[in-house]
Amino acid sequence: MINLTVNGQQHAVDADPDKPLLWVLREDLGLTGTKYGCGVAACGACTVHVDGEAARSCSLPLRSVAKAAIVTIEGLAASTALPAGQLHPVQDAWIRGQVPQCGYCQSGMIMTVAALLDKNASPTPGEIDSALGNLCRCGTYARVRKAIQSLVAKA
Amino acid sequence: MKRRTFLLGTAAVAGGLALGYRVWSAGFDAQAAALAGTGTGAGALLAGWVKIGADDVVTVYVPHADMGQGTHTALAMMLADELDADWARVRTERAPADKAFANRFLAQGWVLQGWQLPSFLTSTVGAGFAEAARFINLQITGGSTAVRFTGQGLRVVGAAARSMLAEAAARRWQVDAKTLSVASSVVSHPPSGRSARFGELAADAATLTAPSDPQLKARRDHKLIGRSLPRLDVPAKVTGEMQYGIDLSLPDMLHAAVRSAPVHGGKLVAIDVAPALKFDGVERVVKLESSVAVVAKSFWQARRALDALHPVFDDGGNGGASTRTHFDQQARMLADGKASSVHRSGDAEAMLKAAPADRIVEATYRVPFLHHAAMEPINATAQFKKGELIVWAGEQDALGSKAALAASLGLAADKVTLHALPIGGAFGRRIAQTSQHLALVAEIAKVVSPRPVKMIWTREEDFAQGAYRPAVSTYIRAALGADGRPTAWSQVYVDLAGPGRREGYQIPYDIPAQSLNVVAGKTHVRTGTWRSVAHSQHAFYTECFMDELAAAAGRDPFEYRRDLLPTGSRLRKVLELAAEKAEWAKPLAPGAARGLALVESFGTIVAHVIEASLGADGSPQVHRVTAAVDCGDVCHPDNATAQVEGAIIMGLSAAIGEQITIEQGEVVQKNFPDYPLLTFANAPPRIDVHFLASDGPWGGLGEPGLPPVAPALANAMFAISGKRQRILPLTAAA
């Protein structure tokens, strides 16, 4: 048993310590909002927050995050001081900007952006591009940038 | 919309009205029924249902997959507009994969309106069923068809339902239906001040006969069509709640990881399964003809155990094949002249023979295999129980895939159920023709019956077992007249889908003598339909070669094309709009240049102007893309823009850096690091999409933004360097 803190809740997980966090979240905790895309930390679909930092959960063994505070897309809004039921500002910007197409990469995209804006409330276009290594096959890049800009302008 | 007979069938549902429709002449009905051999009587072949509940909720059943195109919202808008429904009460559901929901509007578009059945459909089903499938078995998401075909049908359904609801109110209040008004899901009678909600009228309406020719609104009366309403699918896609196929969980479900013969067509020869069985959670190893599967309690356990195996596959005799042998073979085919004609006007060969050598331009172009690389890797879940197969999967053509699955397993069609789930991108990968993953999971489900099993392909397996955009080539010659205008164009191209495909080759310019010829290429590599299908290569050939002709004539590429298009034509207007919005004539900084391309596909005309420069390594850096689009009417402008933006990004990604190569018969690329998709870092900082105000017929939008991208960029690179790029991807030639 390994104790894991996800979205503010403690879980005792009965899984191999080598099992990547991605599959623990999806298979052991039923949190399927975090997606499998490549398994080699190349696409960003599996991005979660580990102690406030964006991290690619497909390449993090369970043993390495046992003491960390993990936040997934399901817990992103609640991880801030917002009233229950309200969306995180990044999620809200994604709806206003009608960003997703198929949507599969967007959990990871939103988690990456939320972590970026936590550190840097007004990133330059260059900082945005270099922070976002996430892949989107539908080609939502222009809308992702615009949605981030709408938050930067507000900040 | 043309007048024709609409027969609408109604059915009472719990307290409400369910309306299906048939837009079919009696002759087609009989033919379809006879071909299907199912004895389907009139009224049985209904499609495109709308349900109006006592609670006022209007549910639109959409016979298309949601894979990011936004068409569920657009189609619901089209129906709700004609219905005068309260948009806040409109929902969508994916239509079940059942013949009753076959999308006959597609068939209507293709067959009755003279559209050819797209080539990708012709081999999706067995020969015996193929003709019937042409008429009734269409539930496919492809060919950029949703709004232009299905949507037009759904408008009719909406108008019919509106008429029936009004008629129900007229009878209840004993007034003339003409004195009623309908708005926001309420029917009212202004003279008496009476009103009733749709939900209060639905049960009565269900007892009425549907009108044979419901009146559609004029464009100026549209309340929803033409507006950018928030898409219905977006909220669940930002909260992580959207359930794709890969997210499915069933009681008692097992998980499978698989590896199939890396040389397509190869067979499993030998395997020692013992190493896998030592791992925790592993239930069994399943040996299949061309694959091995490890079944375990979780996917990660299955995958880890699979990695410990060393299956031996044969190469089916194709171990010597490579990208080089593939294109060498095509070069010989293009040279030997044994092609069949697809289009001929005038005598291009004679004119080329007669033309002086310095008036002849010739070139060879080629494009690589491309992987779909949708972000959701291929996956599917199946359960085999009491002789029946149930499959849950994200498929573009649920009905076609179901039929193909039944055929491949030797099951009667009614023993197979397919639950079609939302897809994390497909781009042509998940059609019946290339749904071998469904047969694979079904074989595994047979072995572990009656437990359900979810199979996920690792990204490596997804790359290795793709159904790639064909790697093909062409040889073109043209003669220029004294004024520089082309007088003759002769082309032979390789098509791996065979000589029967008639898609994408059109040359829209005024060239008096044209000779277009196809030769059927061969490969053991599985190929399929990739966003925009054959247009993806033909646009590159045609629009790059047009640029070569302009250069040979010493003309500006925009003016040269424009002068070869009729004044006032839609093509010319689109070209001119793109040039105007892109400031074609405005000088750029040294080292930068613009290129353009103009392509009609799927009923829509798109011109792109791409502004680019070259990096230190000679690779293209795109600064700005300007698109001009004529798709006729636009249902949802913001989503239409998003589709074109996405197609531009995907087109750039492919043009700049993507290629699948073959060595020793196997696909070389394993995962994203060796198949570089476009990233934020190299995505153009500026994309502008302009829609032409047009009275043309509705066109498609999921695909047409893609074909002009590669040629526009290649033409920009020529304008910068004077060096012509005739091979994709463009970085390969840099």
Side-chain angles (χ1 to χ4, degrees), chain B residues 534-681:
Chain B
H535 292 282
S536 70
Q537 66 261 21
H538 281 286
F540 178 65
Y541 305 156
T542 307
E543 283 298 290
C544 285
F545 195 64
M546 277 305 293
D547 230 61
E548 298 210 39
L549 299 186
R555 298 279 313 277
D556 172 85
F558 159 66
E559 292 173 7
Y560 189 73
R561 284 177 174 81
R562 180 196 61 195
D563 294 349
L564 291 167
L565 295 167
T567 306
S569 64
R570 292 175 70 197
L571 282 157
R572 182 158 164 162
K573 284 184 188 167
V574 171
L575 183 72
E576 288 171 339
L577 181 67
E580 177 207 324
K581 297 291 184 186
E583 303 167 287
W584 176 259
K586 192 175 165 186
L588 290 168
R594 299 184 187 92
L596 68 78
L598 170 70
V599 180
E600 177 169 3
S601 65
F602 309 98
T604 291
I605 302 163
V606 180
H608 292 326
V609 174
I610 294 183
E611 196 179 302
S613 60
L614 298 181
D617 60 353
S619 65
Q621 315 283 312
V622 178
H623 306 302
R624 180 180 170 191
V625 182
T626 306
V629 181
D630 179 354
C631 59
D633 215 336
V634 181
C635 177
H636 189 299
D638 184 61
N639 187 55
T641 302
Q643 287 301 304
V644 177
E645 289 169 352
I648 288 168
I649 295 290
M650 191 167 177
L652 285 174
S653 183
I656 293 172
E658 293 178 29
Q659 64 174 328
I660 290 290
T661 57
I662 307 296
E663 291 299 336
Q664 298 182 314
E666 299 181 12
V667 169
V668 172
Q669 290 70 27
K670 305 285 185 213
N671 203 325
F672 291 123
D674 49 14
Y675 191 83
L677 300 189
L678 203 75
T679 62
F680 279 93

Side-chain angles (χ1 to χ4, degrees), chain B residues 391-608:
Chain B
V391 174
W392 295 259
E395 294 299 315
Q396 290 175 248
D397 180 8
L399 266 176
S401 290
K402 189 174 115 165
L405 199 49
S408 83
L409 281 125
L411 289 170
D414 64 357
K415 298 291 180 199
V416 178
T417 304
L418 196 153
H419 298 288
L421 304 174
I423 319 177
F427 312 108
R429 175 66 184 84
R430 298 200 193 202
I431 66 167
Q433 191 180 345
T434 52
S435 63
Q436 81 274 13
H437 50 281
L438 297 184
L440 186 54
V441 73
E443 293 291 350
I444 300 167
K446 264 188 183 175
V447 175
V448 301
S449 172
R451 296 181 73 179
V453 57
K454 176 161 75 177
M455 172 190 75
I456 300 174
W457 286 6
T458 60
R459 179 57 68 185
E460 290 78 7
E461 191 70 5
D462 185 272
F463 264 92
Q465 301 299 329
Y468 316 98
R469 194 281 302 275
V472 285
S473 50
T474 191
Y475 170 60
I476 320 176
R477 286 183 306 150
L480 302 183
D483 57 0
R485 289 169 71 99
T487 55
W489 175 302
S490 172
Q491 178 174 0
V492 55
Y493 62 83
V494 178
D495 197 322
L496 299 183
R501 173 149 72 184
R502 297 284 186 271
E503 199 168 65
Y505 62 80
Q506 292 85 355
I507 296 160
Y509 302 102
D510 176 21
I511 302 173
Q514 299 183 13
S515 169
L516 288 130
N517 310 280
V518 61
V519 55
K522 280 197 196 85
T523 177
H524 74 287
V525 178
R526 190 183 305 108
T527 58
T529 61
W530 189 93
R531 195 173 187 174
S532 82
V533 200
H535 292 282
S536 70
Q537 66 261 21
H538 281 286
F540 178 65
Y541 305 156
T542 307
E543 283 298 290
C544 285
F545 195 64
M546 277 305 293
D547 230 61
E548 298 210 39
L549 299 186
R555 298 279 313 277
D556 172 85
F558 159 66
E559 292 173 7
Y560 189 73
R561 284 177 174 81
R562 180 196 61 195
D563 294 349
L564 291 167
L565 295 167
T567 306
S569 64
R570 292 175 70 197
L571 282 157
R572 182 158 164 162
K573 284 184 188 167
V574 171
L575 183 72
E576 288 171 339
L577 181 67
E580 177 207 324
K581 297 291 184 186
E583 303 167 287
W584 176 259
K586 192 175 165 186
L588 290 168
R594 299 184 187 92
L596 68 78
L598 170 70
V599 180
E600 177 169 3
S601 65
F602 309 98
T604 291
I605 302 163
V606 180
H608 292 326

Side-chain angles (χ1 to χ4, degrees), chain B residues 187-271:
Chain B
V187 181
S188 50
H189 183 243
S192 64
R194 276 177 292 199
S195 67
R197 294 178 292 103
F198 280 3
E200 296 171 317
L201 297 164
D204 282 3
T207 66
L208 301 175
T209 304
S212 62
D213 194 6
Q215 195 66 41
L216 295 187
K217 289 180 181 176
R219 189 188 288 203
R220 64 178 177 278
D221 295 326
H222 287 155
K223 294 190 177 73
L224 299 173
I225 294 172
R227 285 174 59 196
S228 293
L229 299 170
R231 264 170 46 212
L232 301 171
D233 56 315
V234 165
K237 290 176 177 175
V238 306
T239 57
E241 288 166 297
M242 189 76 172
Q243 293 284 298
Y244 302 88
I246 201 170
D247 302 324
L248 185 76
S249 186
L250 296 169
D252 209 25
M253 185 174 82
L254 291 167
H255 299 259
V258 298
R259 187 169 309 140
S260 295
V263 181
H264 296 180
K267 304 270 185 273
L268 180 65
V269 176
I271 185 170

Side-chain angles (χ1 to χ4, degrees), chain A residues 16 18-20 23 26-27 32-40 42-43 45 73-74 87 91-92 94-95 97-107 109-110 128-129 132-146, chain B residues 67-68 230-231 233-234 237-240 242-244 246-247 255 298-300 303-304 371-373 375-377 423-425 427 457-460 530 638 641-643 645-646 649-650 653 658 671-673 677-680 683-685:
Chain A
D16 191 301
D18 287 337
K19 186 169 183 173
W23 294 106
R26 292 181 55 83
E27 298 191 328
T32 55
T34 305
K35 300 303 187 201
Y36 168 62
C38 68
V40 296
C43 78
I73 188 73
E74 290 91 347
L87 291 177
Q91 291 171 315
D92 189 50
W94 252 235
I95 292 179
Q98 295 282 292
V99 172
Q101 288 189 25
C102 87
Y104 193 83
C105 71
Q106 298 297 344
S107 295
M109 201 75 86
I110 289 167
I128 291 169
D129 285 354
L132 284 171
N134 302 53
L135 299 177
C136 170
R137 189 54 155 164
C138 299
T140 61
Y141 298 142
R143 283 175 184 241
V144 168
R145 284 179 182 147
K146 258 188 230 166
Chain B
M67 48 191 210
R231 264 170 46 212
D233 56 315
V234 165
K237 290 176 177 175
V238 306
T239 57
M242 189 76 172
Q243 293 284 298
Y244 302 88
I246 201 170
D247 302 324
H255 299 259
S298 78
F299 174 70
W300 181 73
R303 193 220 160 134
R304 183 171 62 164
H371 188 39
H372 299 80
M375 293 311 295
E376 181 188 9
I423 319 177
F427 312 108
W457 286 6
T458 60
R459 179 57 68 185
E460 290 78 7
W530 189 93
D638 184 61
T641 302
Q643 287 301 304
E645 289 169 352
I649 295 290
M650 191 167 177
S653 183
E658 293 178 29
N671 203 325
F672 291 123
L677 300 189
L678 203 75
T679 62
F680 279 93

Side-chain angles (χ1 to χ4, degrees), chain B residues 100-160:
Chain B
F101 289 90
N103 186 354
R104 309 180 72 202
F105 294 132
L106 287 188
Q108 177 193 23
W110 282 324
V111 181
L112 297 186
Q113 295 180 353
W115 291 84
Q116 283 192 330
L117 197 70
S119 57
F120 65 81
L121 272 179
T122 52
S123 56
T124 56
V125 283
F129 199 63
E131 280 304 301
R134 281 175 63 115
F135 295 102
I136 64 160
N137 202 21
L138 293 164
Q139 209 186 52
I140 194 164
T141 305
S144 297
T145 49
V147 166
R148 62 185 172 133
F149 296 152
T150 313
Q152 303 312 317
L154 290 178
R155 287 178 63 199
V156 174
V157 174

